[in-house]
Amino acid sequence: MKDSKAEPWTFRMRETMRGVHRFESGGSASAALPFDFTLDWGPAPEWGTFRRGLVMDAVGELRAEGLCERADCRGQLVLDYWGAAELRYDLSFEQDGQRYRYLGRKVNIRPWNLPMSHTTCTGLILDADARLVSTTLSHFRFRDLASFVGSFRVLRSASLAA
């Protein structure tokens, strides 16, 4: 017999950011190389707290030419509209047995500047010892807007584990 409590509903969306990254080498940056990530994200089971933002689970693929071609990544996206007015990505991935972390930020998130604040993301790729490997600059492309909006799916929370 099924529990009388209804399963909570949640949602999922797919976002792609594209841009460039530059390896750090002895204090100077290298030439710009392709960088992108595609994430499926949606609320964590607890939906976070408004004090530190809405916490979204994120899973997808990340590419940083010269480092990884299509590395599976997993982590969180925090939507902090009411506090720091930013979106934060915190993703972990591995390549050739080495662990890395991507930290990205979209800043100055305000209703009147959505085309800029929600489309530009600066970031860092760190190694397992938190040493800077690369800096990134990526953008959400307006031509991807229809697929982003079309990716919206309402799900039962239990189906996220499947």
Side-chain angles (χ1 to χ4, degrees):
M1 184 161 99
K2 190 146 175 112
D3 187 299
S4 62
K5 272 186 158 177
E7 293 177 12
W9 291 88
T10 188
F11 69 88
R12 277 289 199 230
M13 297 190 80
R14 175 167 287 170
E15 174 183 27
T16 298
M17 298 290 292
R18 295 180 175 91
V20 297
H21 80 105
R22 295 175 187 271
F23 285 110
E24 283 294 311
S25 174
S28 63
S30 68
L33 298 168
F35 170 81
D36 61 78
F37 61 87
T38 298
L39 298 175
D40 289 329
W41 56 262
E46 301 80 35
W47 280 70
T49 63
F50 289 100
R51 193 174 68 244
R52 64 170 219 170
L54 295 173
V55 178
M56 307 287 173
D57 289 333
V59 62
E61 292 183 330
L62 183 143
R63 174 178 66 118
E65 188 174 295
L67 179 64
C68 61
E69 279 309 309
R70 286 282 164 223
D72 291 335
C73 61
R74 174 174 298 280
Q76 294 183 328
L77 165 62
V78 178
L79 305 171
D80 188 0
Y81 288 101
W82 305 276
E86 65 185 14
L87 293 135
R88 295 183 302 276
Y89 298 85
D90 187 345
L91 306 172
S92 297
F93 64 98
E94 286 189 28
Q95 180 65 37
D96 298 328
Q98 300 294 316
R99 290 181 295 129
Y100 296 94
R101 187 174 179 194
Y102 169 73
L103 300 173
R105 291 176 62 215
K106 295 179 183 178
V107 298
N108 300 319
I109 304 299
R110 301 285 184 225
W112 54 85
N113 70 351
L114 292 178
M116 281 301 293
S117 63
H118 281 67
T119 61
T120 303
C121 184
T122 58
L124 306 171
I125 297 175
L126 308 172
D127 68 13
D129 295 321
R131 289 186 299 248
L132 180 62
V133 174
S134 184
T135 57
T136 70
L137 176 62
S138 57
H139 300 280
F140 178 86
R141 296 182 178 168
F142 286 109
R143 68 177 176 228
D144 293 335
L145 184 60
S147 63
F148 174 67
V149 172
S151 74
F152 181 81
R153 300 286 181 265
V154 175
L155 308 164
R156 288 190 182 263
S157 291
S159 67
L160 293 177

